Amino acid sequence: MRVGVLALQGAFREHIMTLEALGVAAVAVRKTEQLGGLNALIIPGGESTAIGKLMAAYGFYDAIRQQHGAGMAVWGTCAGAILMAERIIDALPDQQPLRLMDIDVRRNAYGRQVDSFEADLDFKHLSGGPFRGVFIRAPWIERVGPGVEVLAVHQGQIVAARGTGVMATTFHPELTGDPRVHRFFIDEVVGS
Ligand code: GLN
């Protein structure tokens, strides 16, 4: 099992550390050639406009779509969830989603007043009690398509979901030191 973490901008190091703690080989992906042979790719949180610009500059849009079509699972956290979506609500004019997952995601959904917060989440299929969600200028998921399962809801808004070979979380599971969401992705989404 080899999992890549897109390492153009944002919180990629923490994902790599969490994967390594689980005994999973993790690769910091900076070039499209590194996608070959990966079972999965994590697109981290950060700034979706910056990550998207760098992805476009280095040819990642086509390369990620191609590898995903060949079986590479993809998980986006926060900015990564925005980039995976079918549609970005409140996108900047030149911001393009990868359209890997049948979800619509609203950027900066919580606005300025409560733009960052933590909350205990009831995350479906995880045992061991609530999962601490760290939300940083987070989006939420406003629509899920027919093949998408909702995994967590916070105050009426969808904050985690999965489909076949895809998962999106609008919070940052790599910042809590709790590896259960990473474990779930490896065991249940990769190869699905
Ligand atoms: N607000 C950021 C964006 O629009 C996402 C923040 C995050 O990834 N923590 O890309």
Side-chain angles (χ1 to χ4, degrees), residues 35-39 63-73:
L35 294 174
L38 293 181
N39 302 91
I64 291 173
R65 286 183 185 122
Q66 206 171 20
Q67 290 296 320
H68 178 63
M72 181 183 74

Side-chain angles (χ1 to χ4, degrees), residues 49-86:
T49 53
I51 297 173
K53 274 185 190 139
L54 292 166
M55 277 172 42
Y58 296 122
F60 273 106
Y61 275 89
D62 286 344
I64 291 173
R65 286 183 185 122
Q66 206 171 20
Q67 290 296 320
H68 178 63
M72 181 183 74
V74 180
W75 170 18
T77 56
C78 204
I82 294 170
L83 286 160
M84 283 179 73
E86 181 64 27

